Amino acid sequence: MEQTLSSPPFRLTALSLLAALSLSGAVLAQETPVPAAASSGPVFSAPSAFSFDLLAERAATLARQPYAPTPIEHPEVLEKIDYDAHWRIRFRDAASVQVGDTFAQFFHLGTYFRQPVKIFTVAEGEAREVVYSPDYFDMPEDSPAHGLETNAGFAGFRLMRPDMKSDWISFLGAAYFRSDGALRQYGLSARAVALNTGLSIPEEFPRFTEFYLEPGPDGATIVNALMDGPSVTGAYRMVMRDTPGKGQVMDISSRLFFRAPVERLGVAPLTSMFWYSESNRFQSADWRPEVHDTDGLMIHTGAGEHIWRPLNNPDRVVTSSYLDRGLKGFGLVQRDRDFNHYQDDGVFYDKRPAVWIEPTSDWGAGAVQLVEIPTDDEIYDNIVAFWNPETAPRAGDELRFDYRMHWVDEPPVEMPLARTVATQVGNGGVPGQPRPKDAIKVVLDFAGPALEGLDPREGATPEISAPEGVEVVNPFVVRVVGTDRWRLTFDLKAPAETDTVDLRAYIAQDGVPLTETWLGQFHLAQIHRLR
């Protein structure tokens, strides 16, 4: 079941700055591997007992106390460490901290990352804090960072690959993190939790305040994190593996403790960018054919239905809810991997990772929610997707959510059905005849095992559901000549006062689906105005 809601415009945090800064994986990369014994290596504090259960107890204790944000020291200095100044501060390889089979490097504070985090290493049940020193960084002589005190602290960290030339995961800003996937290109971001996203009230951004890094089994790296915010605290345990050519898999356990009620809780939230694709090319005059990190929301429901929802760039904030129970998985996916569809050899949108969320505990009833925010540029993250439990948390509640997160090129979902490979929208009507102004043409392309080798004479039929009063004109299905693709085409007409139309469509044979369910949402007034 689907619900669509609209909310007044609001602003997200400057996630584009995360993309521009060190999370790109290129800003702080060095060329020299860490030596076996570095004389200028990191300094550690005295050890103290640590376990994930102890961390969860601390989060629970914090939730029973008034919120006290981490102080920002010397804001006048941090203000001067802008993008350019931050970019010039390089972490020294010799100060890297070994964590099992990988090395951790740290990000410096700056104007966009003003609150320090504490970082610890864990071994044999004991944690030792990495003591900040400006000696860990190479800074230009005129860098404003020299004006900070010697105990300034770190902004975040990243984990390096064995060659020490690139990182595969980064934690920087609030409770955000992201990995580079199977194709080794950073794109969308994940975060621990989303609070009141897409509502008329301000969104809340709790932050990771402490990290505990430890080696895991079979070459994995474990990141334990303490989260704190005005309405919620939390403890997170992430067992992470980087497999060259296959991406990253993270087994995440989260424990949440609520100080205050939350109107909309987002579990396992993903944040991405969608400006335009073949479906809304008319919304941009940019020279590139398509610009997006992600082109759709994919859902595998508790009932086993496979859903594909192409993304929109609406003219207002729109929240869509897909109700479910026993959810099998959801994710933001970049399906289109053809470089020619983007023509961008600088940021390689064709290589951006897909992220798939697979619950490993019972999440009960709720909804996958998709928030779409207007944008007119690629520098803004304007897409958010998450799981919203049926019951909103109240003050004093404790909730647990376990899930597996895949950063891949294709979600690890077995599906014999054909998948949507293109959603195209244009003028309705027939070439050579007057075009109706109240109609648009929708063309859907599908490809996959269930359609391969299908004879056009075997009776593939279009199955389309539309709201009352909305007319689907002349729907038909054909095979695209010379390919294994099949095309579902129809015109869509609605009364003039109709704003938003939600459709369901798939190709069937004798009533049996051959394709996943395509869910399309059209903002008709916007389309008629811009086309």
Side-chain angles (χ1 to χ4, degrees):
M1 180 177 179
E2 177 184 349
Q3 299 174 331
T4 302
L5 306 173
S6 298
S7 303
F10 72 105
R11 296 188 62 184
L12 285 176
T13 53
L15 299 179
S16 58
L17 296 170
L18 289 176
L21 291 168
S22 314
L23 286 176
S24 66
V27 173
L28 300 179
Q30 301 290 317
E31 298 295 333
T32 307
V34 173
S39 59
S40 58
V43 176
F44 298 90
S45 69
S48 59
F50 177 81
S51 71
F52 181 63
D53 286 338
L54 289 174
L55 189 66
E57 289 178 12
R58 283 192 56 206
T61 300
L62 275 175
R64 294 190 291 268
Q65 302 170 356
Y67 174 61
T70 303
I72 298 176
E73 304 289 348
H74 302 293
E76 73 286 353
V77 177
L78 295 172
E79 180 69 26
K80 299 176 182 177
I81 308 177
D82 58 12
Y83 171 77
D84 289 333
H86 198 269
W87 184 87
R88 292 185 175 91
I89 301 173
R90 306 298 182 98
F91 190 85
R92 293 175 175 170
D93 281 346
S96 301
V97 174
Q98 186 167 4
V99 183
D101 295 336
T102 191
F103 285 90
Q105 295 189 347
F106 309 122
F107 296 120
H108 201 279
L109 296 176
T111 190
Y112 302 115
F113 313 103
R114 299 189 179 200
Q115 292 173 292
V117 299
K118 294 183 177 182
I119 301 176
F120 301 76
T121 60
V122 177
E124 299 180 353
E126 291 186 328
R128 297 188 302 163
E129 184 177 359
V130 182
V131 180
Y132 169 86
S133 170
D135 295 336
Y136 300 160
F137 299 90
D138 286 322
M139 307 179 190
E141 291 185 1
D142 61 350
S143 175
H146 290 296
L148 295 175
E149 295 180 354
T150 56
N151 63 345
F154 304 109
F157 71 96
R158 63 181 186 158
L159 299 180
M160 307 300 294
R161 288 196 166 87
D163 62 5
M164 298 300 290
K165 294 182 179 180
S166 64
D167 56 302
W168 57 273
I169 188 168
S170 301
F171 289 77
L172 181 63
Y176 285 90
F177 59 97
R178 63 180 187 166
S179 201
D180 63 359
L183 303 177
R184 297 182 66 165
Q185 180 68 49
Y186 280 102
L188 77 169
S189 300
R191 48 178 158 159
V193 69
L195 302 180
N196 299 328
T197 304
L199 300 179
S200 57
I201 60 177
E203 184 171 4
E204 186 177 313
F205 294 89
R207 59 185 297 269
F208 288 137
T209 58
E210 298 179 11
F211 294 99
Y212 296 81
L213 314 181
E214 59 178 309
D218 303 323
T221 302
I222 300 176
V223 174
N224 303 279
L226 179 67
M227 185 184 71
D228 195 12
S231 298
V232 66
T233 68
Y236 283 75
R237 180 175 175 84
M238 311 178 190
V239 182
M240 309 182 303
R241 293 174 175 83
D242 175 42
T243 305
K246 295 184 178 180
Q248 299 80 34
V249 176
M250 306 176 188
D251 287 309
I252 299 178
S253 298
S254 65
R255 301 184 187 181
L256 302 176
F257 307 89
F258 290 86
R259 282 193 177 102
V262 172
E263 185 172 340
R264 177 180 287 170
L265 171 63
V267 176
L270 304 173
T271 303
S272 190
M273 180 275 294
F274 178 84
W275 186 7
Y276 62 92
S277 70
E278 78 279 355
S279 65
N280 65 328
R281 184 68 183 85
F282 51 83
Q283 286 187 241
S284 172
D286 192 90
W287 65 272
R288 293 163 294 181
E290 301 182 36
V291 176
H292 50 81
D293 285 337
T294 300
D295 51 11
L297 169 68
M298 181 175 165
I299 303 172
H300 189 191
T301 71
E305 184 178 18
H306 295 275
I307 291 173
W308 177 253
R309 164 58 155 81
L311 296 181
N312 288 323
N313 179 8
D315 55 3
R316 64 192 185 282
V317 177
V318 175
T319 299
S320 300
S321 297
Y322 304 94
L323 306 181
D324 199 13
R325 180 185 291 274
L327 174 74
K328 290 182 171 64
F330 76 96
L332 290 177
V333 179
Q334 186 79 312
R335 277 191 176 171
D336 190 343
R337 297 294 181 189
D338 190 336
F339 171 81
N340 291 320
H341 294 174
Y342 303 94
Q343 290 294 325
D344 195 321
D345 60 353
V347 296
F348 294 101
Y349 287 116
D350 56 302
K351 296 183 179 181
R352 300 298 171 107
V355 180
W356 183 251
I357 305 296
E358 175 189 355
T360 54
S361 63
D362 184 6
W363 286 12
V368 175
Q369 293 193 314
L370 174 68
V371 180
E372 297 167 302
I373 304 164
T375 189
D376 59 2
D377 206 333
E378 64 201 281
I379 65 173
Y380 303 112
D381 279 347
N382 63 315
I383 302 295
V384 189
F386 48 80
W387 173 257
N388 178 223
E390 183 178 55
T391 302
R394 300 163 299 180
D397 282 355
E398 299 180 12
L399 299 177
R400 298 188 181 191
F401 298 94
D402 299 328
Y403 52 99
R404 179 167 293 163
M405 178 180 287
H406 305 262
W407 300 74
V408 288
D409 56 346
E410 283 286 340
V413 179
E414 293 186 10
M415 187 174 69
L417 299 175
R419 299 187 178 191
T420 312
V421 293
T423 299
Q424 301 165 103
V425 178
N427 293 327
V430 179
Q433 298 183 15
R435 297 300 184 102
K437 295 183 179 180
D438 61 345
I440 61 172
K441 188 173 297 296
V442 181
V443 179
L444 311 177
D445 283 2
F446 298 90
L451 292 175
E452 292 175 0
L454 182 66
D455 192 310
R457 295 169 296 183
E458 292 184 293
T461 59
E463 303 292 334
I464 305 172
S465 300
E468 185 177 354
V470 174
E471 185 179 1
V472 175
V473 180
N474 190 30
F476 63 92
V477 173
V478 296
R479 187 173 65 189
V480 180
V481 176
T483 75
D484 281 326
R485 284 191 178 195
W486 284 70
R487 179 166 291 170
L488 192 165
T489 302
F490 58 91
D491 277 12
L492 180 66
K493 296 180 67 175
E497 65 275 11
T498 303
D499 183 19
T500 299
V501 171
D502 289 287
L503 300 178
R504 295 172 59 90
Y506 59 92
I507 297 175
Q509 185 180 39
D510 299 326
V512 178
L514 298 175
T515 71
E516 66 186 356
T517 302
W518 171 91
L519 298 183
Q521 185 177 99
F522 298 99
H523 304 289
L524 295 180
Q526 180 188 24
I527 293 173
H528 291 321
R529 184 173 67 251
L530 294 176
R531 68 188 175 124

